Amino acid sequence: MPKNPNGFQTNESNKIKAVIYGQDYQIKGKAPIEHLRLVAMLVDHKMKEIGEGNPRLDLNRVAVLAAVNVADEYLKLRQEYEELLRVLEPQAVLHAEDGEE
């Protein structure tokens, strides 16, 4: 079966039922079921964290703030990853030139 760059199989969809911030959702994706569950748990945890810290916020605002927080974390991690690649790339070139791979 063909795989996408993340290594997930692309020919079949998986489906889970999840409770996120007290609401029932059906989540469908090409990722493994364990990954879908982990994503749902992360979103639920982030929404609870924001909701507990700001009890007067309605569901929509909690959801948007959770999305903003997750996007911020993602962008920071992506920047760290790209910086690591820049550091490691010259080392990989040196090893390739020395005949090491």
PDB file of all heavy atoms in Angstrom, residues 15-36:
ATOM      1  N   LYS A  15     -11.572   5.105  11.705  1.00  0.00           N
ATOM      2  CA  LYS A  15     -12.587   5.914  12.353  1.00  0.00           C
ATOM      3  C   LYS A  15     -12.599   5.609  13.839  1.00  0.00           C
ATOM      4  O   LYS A  15     -12.484   4.449  14.236  1.00  0.00           O
ATOM      5  CB  LYS A  15     -13.942   5.498  11.756  1.00  0.00           C
ATOM      6  CG  LYS A  15     -14.907   6.558  11.581  1.00  0.00           C
ATOM      7  CD  LYS A  15     -16.247   6.190  10.984  1.00  0.00           C
ATOM      8  CE  LYS A  15     -16.434   4.978  10.174  1.00  0.00           C
ATOM      9  NZ  LYS A  15     -17.791   4.898   9.616  1.00  0.00           N
ATOM     10  N   ILE A  16     -12.724   6.651  14.645  1.00  0.00           N
ATOM     11  CA  ILE A  16     -12.867   6.451  16.094  1.00  0.00           C
ATOM     12  C   ILE A  16     -13.978   7.353  16.603  1.00  0.00           C
ATOM     13  O   ILE A  16     -14.338   8.345  15.975  1.00  0.00           O
ATOM     14  CB  ILE A  16     -11.561   6.760  16.865  1.00  0.00           C
ATOM     15  CG1 ILE A  16     -11.185   8.245  16.751  1.00  0.00           C
ATOM     16  CG2 ILE A  16     -10.430   5.849  16.443  1.00  0.00           C
ATOM     17  CD1 ILE A  16     -10.193   8.711  17.795  1.00  0.00           C
ATOM     18  N   LYS A  17     -14.505   6.970  17.749  1.00  0.00           N
ATOM     19  CA  LYS A  17     -15.420   7.843  18.484  1.00  0.00           C
ATOM     20  C   LYS A  17     -14.611   8.439  19.618  1.00  0.00           C
ATOM     21  O   LYS A  17     -13.872   7.731  20.293  1.00  0.00           O
ATOM     22  CB  LYS A  17     -16.613   7.057  19.021  1.00  0.00           C
ATOM     23  CG  LYS A  17     -17.538   6.584  17.938  1.00  0.00           C
ATOM     24  CD  LYS A  17     -18.709   5.823  18.513  1.00  0.00           C
ATOM     25  CE  LYS A  17     -19.617   5.356  17.388  1.00  0.00           C
ATOM     26  NZ  LYS A  17     -20.771   4.611  17.890  1.00  0.00           N
ATOM     27  N   ALA A  18     -14.763   9.747  19.809  1.00  0.00           N
ATOM     28  CA  ALA A  18     -13.987  10.421  20.846  1.00  0.00           C
ATOM     29  C   ALA A  18     -14.877  11.430  21.562  1.00  0.00           C
ATOM     30  O   ALA A  18     -15.807  11.973  20.973  1.00  0.00           O
ATOM     31  CB  ALA A  18     -12.788  11.130  20.234  1.00  0.00           C
ATOM     32  N   VAL A  19     -14.569  11.647  22.816  1.00  0.00           N
ATOM     33  CA  VAL A  19     -15.227  12.700  23.585  1.00  0.00           C
ATOM     34  C   VAL A  19     -14.185  13.789  23.799  1.00  0.00           C
ATOM     35  O   VAL A  19     -13.139  13.552  24.396  1.00  0.00           O
ATOM     36  CB  VAL A  19     -15.762  12.176  24.934  1.00  0.00           C
ATOM     37  CG1 VAL A  19     -16.397  13.307  25.728  1.00  0.00           C
ATOM     38  CG2 VAL A  19     -16.747  11.038  24.717  1.00  0.00           C
ATOM     39  N   ILE A  20     -14.485  14.958  23.260  1.00  0.00           N
ATOM     40  CA  ILE A  20     -13.582  16.091  23.380  1.00  0.00           C
ATOM     41  C   ILE A  20     -14.343  17.222  24.058  1.00  0.00           C
ATOM     42  O   ILE A  20     -15.364  17.686  23.544  1.00  0.00           O
ATOM     43  CB  ILE A  20     -13.057  16.547  22.003  1.00  0.00           C
ATOM     44  CG1 ILE A  20     -12.272  15.406  21.340  1.00  0.00           C
ATOM     45  CG2 ILE A  20     -12.191  17.798  22.146  1.00  0.00           C
ATOM     46  CD1 ILE A  20     -11.825  15.693  19.923  1.00  0.00           C
ATOM     47  N   TYR A  21     -13.878  17.584  25.233  1.00  0.00           N
ATOM     48  CA  TYR A  21     -14.470  18.655  26.027  1.00  0.00           C
ATOM     49  C   TYR A  21     -15.967  18.415  26.237  1.00  0.00           C
ATOM     50  O   TYR A  21     -16.795  19.299  26.108  1.00  0.00           O
ATOM     51  CB  TYR A  21     -14.193  20.009  25.360  1.00  0.00           C
ATOM     52  CG  TYR A  21     -14.228  21.181  26.310  1.00  0.00           C
ATOM     53  CD1 TYR A  21     -13.353  21.269  27.378  1.00  0.00           C
ATOM     54  CD2 TYR A  21     -15.138  22.197  26.118  1.00  0.00           C
ATOM     55  CE1 TYR A  21     -13.388  22.348  28.238  1.00  0.00           C
ATOM     56  CE2 TYR A  21     -15.191  23.286  26.977  1.00  0.00           C
ATOM     57  CZ  TYR A  21     -14.319  23.353  28.045  1.00  0.00           C
ATOM     58  OH  TYR A  21     -14.347  24.423  28.908  1.00  0.00           O
ATOM     59  N   GLY A  22     -16.285  17.142  26.519  1.00  0.00           N
ATOM     60  CA  GLY A  22     -17.661  16.769  26.830  1.00  0.00           C
ATOM     61  C   GLY A  22     -18.566  16.565  25.621  1.00  0.00           C
ATOM     62  O   GLY A  22     -19.746  16.264  25.791  1.00  0.00           O
ATOM     63  N   GLN A  23     -18.034  16.724  24.432  1.00  0.00           N
ATOM     64  CA  GLN A  23     -18.825  16.553  23.209  1.00  0.00           C
ATOM     65  C   GLN A  23     -18.376  15.286  22.486  1.00  0.00           C
ATOM     66  O   GLN A  23     -17.186  14.994  22.421  1.00  0.00           O
ATOM     67  CB  GLN A  23     -18.614  17.751  22.269  1.00  0.00           C
ATOM     68  CG  GLN A  23     -18.920  19.098  22.875  1.00  0.00           C
ATOM     69  CD  GLN A  23     -20.411  19.377  22.939  1.00  0.00           C
ATOM     70  OE1 GLN A  23     -21.136  19.090  22.006  1.00  0.00           O
ATOM     71  NE2 GLN A  23     -20.861  19.918  24.055  1.00  0.00           N
ATOM     72  N   ASP A  24     -19.338  14.552  21.923  1.00  0.00           N
ATOM     73  CA  ASP A  24     -19.015  13.341  21.161  1.00  0.00           C
ATOM     74  C   ASP A  24     -18.665  13.708  19.722  1.00  0.00           C
ATOM     75  O   ASP A  24     -19.357  14.515  19.085  1.00  0.00           O
ATOM     76  CB  ASP A  24     -20.213  12.383  21.151  1.00  0.00           C
ATOM     77  CG  ASP A  24     -20.504  11.799  22.522  1.00  0.00           C
ATOM     78  OD1 ASP A  24     -19.551  11.622  23.301  1.00  0.00           O
ATOM     79  OD2 ASP A  24     -21.678  11.511  22.807  1.00  0.00           O
ATOM     80  N   TYR A  25     -17.587  13.094  19.234  1.00  0.00           N
ATOM     81  CA  TYR A  25     -17.144  13.314  17.858  1.00  0.00           C
ATOM     82  C   TYR A  25     -16.780  11.979  17.230  1.00  0.00           C
ATOM     83  O   TYR A  25     -16.329  11.066  17.914  1.00  0.00           O
ATOM     84  CB  TYR A  25     -15.905  14.225  17.803  1.00  0.00           C
ATOM     85  CG  TYR A  25     -16.184  15.631  18.231  1.00  0.00           C
ATOM     86  CD1 TYR A  25     -15.993  16.016  19.551  1.00  0.00           C
ATOM     87  CD2 TYR A  25     -16.633  16.581  17.324  1.00  0.00           C
ATOM     88  CE1 TYR A  25     -16.243  17.321  19.954  1.00  0.00           C
ATOM     89  CE2 TYR A  25     -16.884  17.888  17.721  1.00  0.00           C
ATOM     90  CZ  TYR A  25     -16.690  18.245  19.034  1.00  0.00           C
ATOM     91  OH  TYR A  25     -16.943  19.526  19.431  1.00  0.00           O
ATOM     92  N   GLN A  26     -16.949  11.904  15.934  1.00  0.00           N
ATOM     93  CA  GLN A  26     -16.446  10.771  15.172  1.00  0.00           C
ATOM     94  C   GLN A  26     -15.299  11.326  14.339  1.00  0.00           C
ATOM     95  O   GLN A  26     -15.483  12.268  13.558  1.00  0.00           O
ATOM     96  CB  GLN A  26     -17.530  10.182  14.285  1.00  0.00           C
ATOM     97  CG  GLN A  26     -17.125   8.867  13.682  1.00  0.00           C
ATOM     98  CD  GLN A  26     -18.318   8.137  13.091  1.00  0.00           C
ATOM     99  OE1 GLN A  26     -19.225   8.739  12.562  1.00  0.00           O
ATOM    100  NE2 GLN A  26     -18.293   6.823  13.189  1.00  0.00           N
ATOM    101  N   ILE A  27     -14.114  10.768  14.527  1.00  0.00           N
ATOM    102  CA  ILE A  27     -12.921  11.258  13.840  1.00  0.00           C
ATOM    103  C   ILE A  27     -12.495  10.202  12.829  1.00  0.00           C
ATOM    104  O   ILE A  27     -12.372   9.025  13.155  1.00  0.00           O
ATOM    105  CB  ILE A  27     -11.794  11.558  14.843  1.00  0.00           C
ATOM    106  CG1 ILE A  27     -12.266  12.640  15.816  1.00  0.00           C
ATOM    107  CG2 ILE A  27     -10.527  11.988  14.129  1.00  0.00           C
ATOM    108  CD1 ILE A  27     -11.330  12.917  16.943  1.00  0.00           C
ATOM    109  N   LYS A  28     -12.285  10.653  11.620  1.00  0.00           N
ATOM    110  CA  LYS A  28     -11.927   9.757  10.529  1.00  0.00           C
ATOM    111  C   LYS A  28     -10.637  10.265   9.894  1.00  0.00           C
ATOM    112  O   LYS A  28     -10.463  11.467   9.717  1.00  0.00           O
ATOM    113  CB  LYS A  28     -13.057   9.762   9.493  1.00  0.00           C
ATOM    114  CG  LYS A  28     -12.881   8.803   8.361  1.00  0.00           C
ATOM    115  CD  LYS A  28     -14.111   8.870   7.454  1.00  0.00           C
ATOM    116  CE  LYS A  28     -13.919   7.986   6.245  1.00  0.00           C
ATOM    117  NZ  LYS A  28     -15.053   8.040   5.334  1.00  0.00           N
ATOM    118  N   GLY A  29      -9.732   9.347   9.587  1.00  0.00           N
ATOM    119  CA  GLY A  29      -8.480   9.744   8.950  1.00  0.00           C
ATOM    120  C   GLY A  29      -7.710   8.545   8.456  1.00  0.00           C
ATOM    121  O   GLY A  29      -8.060   7.398   8.733  1.00  0.00           O
ATOM    122  N   LYS A  30      -6.667   8.818   7.725  1.00  0.00           N
ATOM    123  CA  LYS A  30      -5.824   7.751   7.164  1.00  0.00           C
ATOM    124  C   LYS A  30      -4.753   7.298   8.153  1.00  0.00           C
ATOM    125  O   LYS A  30      -4.078   6.317   7.919  1.00  0.00           O
ATOM    126  CB  LYS A  30      -5.193   8.242   5.871  1.00  0.00           C
ATOM    127  CG  LYS A  30      -6.251   8.682   4.871  1.00  0.00           C
ATOM    128  CD  LYS A  30      -5.895   8.313   3.486  1.00  0.00           C
ATOM    129  CE  LYS A  30      -6.957   8.846   2.544  1.00  0.00           C
ATOM    130  NZ  LYS A  30      -7.818   7.850   2.028  1.00  0.00           N
ATOM    131  N   ALA A  31      -4.624   8.003   9.244  1.00  0.00           N
ATOM    132  CA  ALA A  31      -3.641   7.654  10.268  1.00  0.00           C
ATOM    133  C   ALA A  31      -4.121   6.419  11.039  1.00  0.00           C
ATOM    134  O   ALA A  31      -5.313   6.119  11.064  1.00  0.00           O
ATOM    135  CB  ALA A  31      -3.460   8.824  11.226  1.00  0.00           C
ATOM    136  N   PRO A  32      -3.188   5.722  11.679  1.00  0.00           N
ATOM    137  CA  PRO A  32      -3.572   4.585  12.522  1.00  0.00           C
ATOM    138  C   PRO A  32      -4.526   5.017  13.639  1.00  0.00           C
ATOM    139  O   PRO A  32      -4.496   6.169  14.090  1.00  0.00           O
ATOM    140  CB  PRO A  32      -2.243   4.098  13.109  1.00  0.00           C
ATOM    141  CG  PRO A  32      -1.190   4.620  12.190  1.00  0.00           C
ATOM    142  CD  PRO A  32      -1.727   5.910  11.644  1.00  0.00           C
ATOM    143  N   ILE A  33      -5.342   4.093  14.097  1.00  0.00           N
ATOM    144  CA  ILE A  33      -6.320   4.372  15.144  1.00  0.00           C
ATOM    145  C   ILE A  33      -5.648   4.947  16.390  1.00  0.00           C
ATOM    146  O   ILE A  33      -6.160   5.886  16.999  1.00  0.00           O
ATOM    147  CB  ILE A  33      -7.132   3.097  15.476  1.00  0.00           C
ATOM    148  CG1 ILE A  33      -8.077   2.796  14.308  1.00  0.00           C
ATOM    149  CG2 ILE A  33      -7.896   3.244  16.777  1.00  0.00           C
ATOM    150  CD1 ILE A  33      -8.809   1.470  14.413  1.00  0.00           C
ATOM    151  N   GLU A  34      -4.492   4.420  16.763  1.00  0.00           N
ATOM    152  CA  GLU A  34      -3.790   4.920  17.943  1.00  0.00           C
ATOM    153  C   GLU A  34      -3.437   6.395  17.783  1.00  0.00           C
ATOM    154  O   GLU A  34      -3.501   7.168  18.733  1.00  0.00           O
ATOM    155  CB  GLU A  34      -2.510   4.109  18.202  1.00  0.00           C
ATOM    156  CG  GLU A  34      -2.742   2.645  18.476  1.00  0.00           C
ATOM    157  CD  GLU A  34      -3.001   1.821  17.205  1.00  0.00           C
ATOM    158  OE1 GLU A  34      -2.536   2.207  16.112  1.00  0.00           O
ATOM    159  OE2 GLU A  34      -3.696   0.795  17.311  1.00  0.00           O
ATOM    160  N   HIS A  35      -3.050   6.774  16.573  1.00  0.00           N
ATOM    161  CA  HIS A  35      -2.712   8.173  16.311  1.00  0.00           C
ATOM    162  C   HIS A  35      -3.955   9.055  16.417  1.00  0.00           C
ATOM    163  O   HIS A  35      -3.901  10.135  17.013  1.00  0.00           O
ATOM    164  CB  HIS A  35      -2.074   8.306  14.923  1.00  0.00           C
ATOM    165  CG  HIS A  35      -1.681   9.710  14.585  1.00  0.00           C
ATOM    166  ND1 HIS A  35      -0.507  10.267  15.032  1.00  0.00           N
ATOM    167  CD2 HIS A  35      -2.318  10.665  13.870  1.00  0.00           C
ATOM    168  CE1 HIS A  35      -0.435  11.517  14.589  1.00  0.00           C
ATOM    169  NE2 HIS A  35      -1.520  11.781  13.886  1.00  0.00           N
ATOM    170  N   LEU A  36      -5.060   8.611  15.855  1.00  0.00           N
ATOM    171  CA  LEU A  36      -6.306   9.370  15.935  1.00  0.00           C
ATOM    172  C   LEU A  36      -6.726   9.564  17.388  1.00  0.00           C
ATOM    173  O   LEU A  36      -7.151  10.651  17.782  1.00  0.00           O
ATOM    174  CB  LEU A  36      -7.416   8.681  15.144  1.00  0.00           C
ATOM    175  CG  LEU A  36      -7.204   8.554  13.632  1.00  0.00           C
ATOM    176  CD1 LEU A  36      -8.349   7.763  13.002  1.00  0.00           C
ATOM    177  CD2 LEU A  36      -7.046   9.908  12.971  1.00  0.00           C
TER     178      LEU A  36
END
